[in-house]
Amino acid sequence: MRKARNLRRDPRLALSIAPVDNPFELVVVRGKAVEWIEGHAAWEIIDQLATKYTGEPYPRGQERIVVVIEPERQTIGIG
């Protein structure tokens, strides 16, 4: 997976989240990848999230990795 290879080489990342009903309440978290969870442990986390939002486990098409982020800075809102 290209994203995983790139993130392992340079662990800095930014994650942006915005509610559908108010895109101006944007939350941006900047930080670095500090832990990689693979295999069965990763699928447990992924399935838990998928079941919460879709009601069923995530389809098994490709291998998935969970990356734990250590936040360094956060920004809330646009301004």
Side-chain angles (χ1 to χ4, degrees):
M1 294 183 285
R2 181 175 293 189
K3 286 182 185 182
R5 282 194 313 263
N6 289 342
L7 197 53
R8 285 184 193 272
R9 185 179 59 237
D10 182 0
R12 298 173 300 165
L13 59 95
L15 177 67
S16 303
I17 306 166
V20 174
D21 60 340
N22 187 356
F24 296 104
E25 280 189 43
L26 181 70
V27 175
V28 179
V29 178
R30 295 179 190 280
K32 62 182 177 180
V34 294
E35 184 180 349
W36 299 81
I37 303 171
E38 301 182 49
H40 183 69
W43 278 113
E44 286 181 7
I45 295 167
I46 293 165
D47 285 340
Q48 184 179 20
L49 286 169
T51 302
K52 178 179 179 177
Y53 291 103
T54 66
E56 55 189 50
Y58 197 81
R60 302 295 198 267
Q62 299 177 353
E63 186 59 34
R64 299 288 181 208
I65 299 171
V66 174
V67 177
V68 178
I69 302 168
E70 180 180 283
E72 294 175 345
R73 190 173 94 202
Q74 71 177 14
T75 308
I76 301 173
I78 297 176

